[in-house]
């Protein structure tokens, strides 16, 4: 869309004002009908703008349209870097990095990710974790979980896995055994197939352009105690 | 007991289920809050995800049931006649209650399923607030349609339509229609959350807000005798302001979910204006009560009306505003800040509305000829609930600020930063306070139960009966 947010704000307010004024000509502002007409005009204008914006957003966030990368991004190495121009962090693609030592075709990747999403919903992940910042607050945010340094630093040695994705699968299948804190994730009985699909999903999610959320992910000045 | 319309008998059915589910909400909330303190509690039996889901699902259902009850209660007053389909209305209530029962049993005993469509249809959809499986979604929409046509048919049969009923009919249609936006599966999590917020935000910050505008407007008219013309004028103004700011205010949930950047400006601008109608509602309630010098026949209802106006303003308006600008939300998004705000907003705006109607109904049923509905217990429950809610919300606010700074600003928002922040005393100690105040809230609920069982029962018979 070629309009800035400010133009949209001004246009919606102006339309409400002009439409309401025309429809309430000659009425006192103490007359309920005055407010009734303004209410109808205001609601219709705002709802119309919401629909237009919704169509535009759906288009810009379709799979493979830039903001939401193509499923084959799971074959790539993903990073998260400060974009100097906007002052916000953006996911970047840093060359090839097969997942589970495999390069997926677009169809295979899509099937895997669909399975991952179904698995995430079937186990109510969102009722402990946040995904893209939405959900519950009992467990860490998963938006950039794929990029979390803890997999390499703690979970690979702990699970005895060779790669990050393997460590993730082992953790997801037996989270109660690989706990690092008193709040343990319950065992949700993921099959290996499901666990792999979830890992792929987390990789894909970490490549979504979230306008810089979370800020400076992984760059911590927090002192552990 | 004075004569009741069939419509009002249906209202009683809805409120009795609502009040029970309110209790269930609190019990599961307490378990969830205790699991924060002692994570091994029921770890293998009812994990946090399940207790929390039961907590918020019970809330959504009991609040909706209370609203439906309120609508059935005021319907005869507004239309001058009884509901058209009394049997149908009772059937819908029964179906809804039975469906809720089945869903809850599956939540508790089955909990989760395999990663396939069967799970989404019959166990859980795994999307916060609207976890109910697809069969139940369809059932709920069908029942809502029955209720809708019952109300609409009653209005049209009566041959007149008040401003209140006009707003109600349009708003209910939007409310039911929005639920459909949450009923499909997509592998694209950005689209998923985009539509999920259509349901959640456009419910609580648009259609529910207007619905309680209608209910509270009617309550003011009923409890204080405010003239209809004034009530309807204010209601239209509120609709303009709520929909005018709340519809595009939806953008405050589209900052970080993959959606385009223009939402930062649009969402930030409109959601910052969302408190304005809530201020207007306070002005309205306080002004009306002042005009009538606080004279009322229903003390508890009047005080809960005040609480609704102020609670809505503080919980939704002030607490919402605190984290609604994208510059703040970038760091506070998905922290205890949201839980602090969510509790105060739901309590102030929606719990209070339903309790107002409980007392209006009780007065009609128990003390229709007066003198006035009053007791000591309602005051205890009222003050107890306010204090304990403020305590919980205050605790979560401290935890939320600390989490925002420690995990997100100083830390790098990682798994380990999350744990470190959660273990910091500024975060972990408030969880103890939250649990303590939660117990107090539950005790206040018990006093409330005692009060609604007894209020208006004794006083008249002692005073009025000749020796
Ligand atoms: C009665 C009305 C309202 C209710 C019941 C309500 C409730 C809630 C709840 C429960 C959440 C958490 C959602 C989740 O689980 O992720 C939330 C989030 C939010 N609310 Fe409200 N709210 C209301 C009004 C408002 C208003 C008027 C504003 C702004 C002025 C606001 C601003 C926000 C923001 C910015 C968030 C997102 C928090 C985040 O980024 O994590 N809310 N609201
Ligand atoms: C006994 C009193 C209560 C206790 C102990 C309690 C406890 C909790 C807990 C532990 C959570 C999970 C938060 C998380 O994910 O970290 C929660 C969430 C929630 N509770 Fe309560 N609660 C209580 C009463 C209420 C009441 C009265 C309401 C409103 C009617 C309410 C509305 C909510 C909402 C909307 C959420 C979701 C918040 C979000 O996602 O941001 N709770 N509660
Ligand atoms: Fe919102």
């Amino acid at each position: 869309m070629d309009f800035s947010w400010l133009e949209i704000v001004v246009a919606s307010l102006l339309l409400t004002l002009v439409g309401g004024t025309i429809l309430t000509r000659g009425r006192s502002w103490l007359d309920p009908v005055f407010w009734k007409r303004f209410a109808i005009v205001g609601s219709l204008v705002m709802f119309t703008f919401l629909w237009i914006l919704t169509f535009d957003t759906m288009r810009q966030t379709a799979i493979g349209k830039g903001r939401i990368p193509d499923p084959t991004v799971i074959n790539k190495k993903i990073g998260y870097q400060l974009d100097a121009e906007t002052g916000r962090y953006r996911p970047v693609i840093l060359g090839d990095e097969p997942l589970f030592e495999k390069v997926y075709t677009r169809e295979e990747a899509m099937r895997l990710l669909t399975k991952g999403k179904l698995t995430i919903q079937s186990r109510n992940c969102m009722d402990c974790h946040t995904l893209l910042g939405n959900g519950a607050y009992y467990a860490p945010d998963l938006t950039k979980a794929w990029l979390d340094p803890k997999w390499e630093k703690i979970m690979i040695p702990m699970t005895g896995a060779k790669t990050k994705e393997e460590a993730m699968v082992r953790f997801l299948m037996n989270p109660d055994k690989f706990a690092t804190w008193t709040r343990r994730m319950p065992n949700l009985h993921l099959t290996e197939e499901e666990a792999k699909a979830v890992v792929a999903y987390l990789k894909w999610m970490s490549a979504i352009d979230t306008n810089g959320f979370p800020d400076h992910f992984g760059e911590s000045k927090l002192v552990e105690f | 007991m004075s004569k009741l319309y069939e419509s009002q008998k249906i209202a009683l059915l809805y409120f009795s289920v609502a009040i029970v589910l309110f209790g269930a909400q609190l019990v599961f909330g307490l378990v969830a809050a205790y699991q924060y303190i002692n994570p091994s509690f029921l770890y293998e039996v009812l994990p946090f995800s399940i207790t929390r889901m039961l907590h918020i699902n019970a809330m959504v259902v009991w609040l909706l049931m209370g609203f439906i009850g309120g609508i059935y209660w005021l319907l005869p007053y507004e239309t001058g006649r009884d509901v058209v389909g009394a049997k149908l209305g009772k059937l819908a209530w029964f179906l809804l209650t039975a469906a809720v029962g089945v869903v809850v049993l599956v939540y508790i005993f089955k909990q989760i399923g395999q990663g396939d469509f069967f799970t989404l249809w019959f166990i859980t959809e795994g999307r916060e607030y609207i976890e109910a499986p697809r069969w139940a979604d369809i059932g709920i929409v069908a029942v809502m349609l029955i209720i809708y046509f019952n109300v609409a048919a009653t209005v049209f049969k009566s041959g007149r339509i008040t401003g209140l009923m006009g707003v109600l009919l349009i708003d209910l249609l939007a409310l039911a229609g929005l639920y459909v936006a949450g009923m499909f599966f997509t592998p694209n999590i950005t689209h998923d959350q985009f539509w999920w917020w259509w349901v959640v935000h456009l419910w609580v910050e648009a259609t529910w807000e207007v619905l309680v505008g209608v209910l509270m407007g009617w309550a003011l008219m009923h409890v204080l005798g405010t003239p209809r013309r004034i009530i309807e004028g204010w209601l239209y103004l509120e609709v303009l302001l709520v929909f005018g700011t709340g519809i595009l205010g939806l953008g405050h949930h589209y900052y970080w979910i993959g959606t385009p950047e223009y939402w930062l400006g649009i969402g930030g601008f409109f959601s910052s204006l969302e408190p304005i109608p809530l201020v207007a509602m306070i002005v309205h309630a306080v002004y009306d009560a002042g005009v009538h010098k606080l004279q009322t026949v229903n003390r508890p209802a009047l005080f809960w009306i005040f609480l609704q106006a102020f609670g809505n303003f503080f919980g939704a308006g002030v607490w919402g505003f605190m984290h609604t600008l994208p510059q703040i939300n970038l760091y506070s998004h998905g922290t205890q800040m949201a839980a602090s705000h969510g509790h105060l907003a739901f309590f102030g705006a929606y719990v209070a509305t339903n309790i107002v109607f409980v007392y209006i109904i009780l007065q009609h049923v128990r003390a229709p000829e007066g003198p006035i509905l009053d007791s000591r217990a309602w005051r205890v429950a009222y003050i107890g609930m306010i204090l304990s809610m403020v305590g919980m919300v205050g605790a979560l606010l401290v935890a939320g600020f600390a989490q925002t700074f420690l995990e997100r600003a100083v830390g790098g928002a990682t798994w380990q930063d999350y744990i470190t922040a959660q273990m910091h005393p500024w975060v972990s100690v408030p969880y103890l306070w939250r649990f303590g105040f939660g117990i107090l809230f539950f005790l206040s609920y018990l006093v409330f139960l005692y009060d609604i069982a007894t209020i208006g029962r004794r006083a008249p018979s002692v005073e009025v009966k000749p020796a």
Side-chain angles (χ1 to χ4, degrees), chain A residues 56 88 117 137 201 215-216, chain B residues 187 192 261-262 331 411 418:
Chain A
D56 185 68
R88 288 205 291 267
K117 181 71 165 22
Y137 320 117
Y201 204 90
D215 195 39
H216 62 82
Chain B
D192 179 323
E261 251 182 272
Y262 52 68
Y331 299 96
Y418 174 85

Side-chain angles (χ1 to χ4, degrees), chain A residues 133-135 137, chain B residues 52 128-129 196-197 200 204-205 209 252-253 255-256 271-272 274-275 278 312 315-317 319-325 329 332-335 338-339 341-343 345-346 349-350:
Chain A
N134 293 311
Y137 320 117
Chain B
R52 181 196 206 268
E128 195 194 1
Y129 301 106
W196 175 77
W197 278 117
V200 178
V204 301
E205 287 168 65
E209 200 68 79
H252 64 180
H253 304 293
Y255 299 154
W256 327 119
S271 67
S272 302
E274 282 182 44
L278 310 179
N312 198 358
W319 256 246
F321 184 79
M322 269 195 292
H323 58 168
T324 205
L325 290 176
N329 195 265
S332 68
H333 180 46
T335 64
H341 154 67
H343 277 88
F346 265 111
Y350 302 128

Side-chain angles (χ1 to χ4, degrees), chain A:
Chain A
M1 214 171 46
D2 299 328
F3 300 100
S4 79
W5 70 268
L6 195 57
E7 288 167 318
I8 293 164
V9 166
V10 172
S12 62
L13 291 178
L14 262 181
L15 266 176
T16 305
L17 204 64
V18 171
T21 310
I22 292 174
L23 285 175
T24 54
R25 247 172 336 177
R27 284 189 185 267
S28 152
W29 67 277
L30 290 172
D31 181 353
V33 175
F34 179 93
W35 294 109
K36 184 181 186 171
R37 299 211 173 146
F38 251 103
I40 294 171
V41 173
S43 310
L44 285 178
V45 167
M46 294 304 167
F47 198 54
T48 310
F49 270 82
L50 177 59
W51 267 116
I52 297 170
L53 292 167
T54 294
F55 276 115
D56 185 68
T57 299
M58 284 295 119
R59 203 173 44 74
Q60 289 200 45
T61 54
I63 294 174
K65 284 281 149 55
R67 302 193 62 92
I68 316 297
D70 193 80
T72 51
V73 82
I74 61 174
N75 301 320
K76 304 281 175 191
K77 185 168 172 59
I78 295 156
Y80 193 54
Q81 291 172 358
L82 185 66
D83 174 37
E85 216 168 291
T86 56
R88 288 205 291 267
Y89 278 69
R90 289 251 143 84
V92 285
I93 290 173
L94 308 164
D96 292 329
E97 183 197 73
L99 185 67
F100 302 113
E101 285 147 25
K102 181 176 154 70
V103 175
Y104 292 82
T105 67
R106 192 171 189 282
E107 286 67 39
E108 284 170 340
M110 199 60 236
R111 217 173 308 123
L112 188 66
L113 294 172
T114 303
K115 183 75 184 171
K117 181 71 165 22
L118 282 168
T119 305
I120 286 170
Q121 287 184 228
S122 71
R123 302 311 200 282
N124 292 325
C125 305
M126 207 187 177
D127 283 313
C128 283
H129 294 276
T130 45
L131 292 92
L132 304 179
N134 293 311
Y137 320 117
Y138 191 70
D141 181 55
L142 299 180
T143 309
K144 303 290 171 195
W146 168 260
L147 302 173
D148 201 299
K150 181 162 174 171
W151 296 115
E152 263 118 17
K153 269 197 220 143
I154 299 176
M155 300 317 287
I156 290 185
M158 194 178 196
T159 56
K162 286 200 202 67
T163 61
K164 170 161 85 170
E165 52 263 44
E166 204 187 315
M168 293 173 84
V169 167
R170 289 191 191 184
F171 172 78
L172 285 173
M173 291 179 69
N174 286 297
D176 45 341
K177 291 213 186 81
F178 300 117
T180 56
W181 186 28
T182 49
R183 252 188 243 166
R184 287 165 299 161
M185 178 164 153
N187 191 330
L188 300 165
H189 307 288
L190 269 70
T191 63
E192 185 170 352
E193 187 205 356
E194 286 178 328
K196 283 184 159 175
V198 170
V199 171
Y201 204 90
L202 292 174
K203 187 169 185 184
W204 188 37
M205 186 160 67
S206 75
I208 295 177
D209 181 354
T210 50
N211 289 332
F213 173 85
D215 195 39
H216 62 82
F217 182 82
E219 290 165 33
S220 180
K221 295 207 176 69
L222 196 58
V223 181
E224 275 182 45
F225 60 91

Side-chain angles (χ1 to χ4, degrees), chain A residues 118-119 121-124 127 194, chain B residues 50 53-54 57 99-127 130-137:
Chain A
L118 282 168
T119 305
Q121 287 184 228
S122 71
R123 302 311 200 282
N124 292 325
D127 283 313
E194 286 178 328
Chain B
I50 303 298
M53 174 171 73
L54 287 161
N57 281 243
V100 170
V102 174
V103 170
V104 168
L105 288 179
V106 173
Y107 280 174
I108 293 181
F109 293 105
K110 188 75 189 84
Q111 299 186 357
I112 52 177
Q114 296 298 306
D116 53 28
F117 283 98
F118 179 85
T119 301
L120 302 196
W121 273 93
F122 297 103
I123 302 170
T124 175
E125 274 191 74
R127 298 163 80 209
I130 49 175
E131 286 95 344
R134 193 73 48 78
W135 75 265
D137 288 345

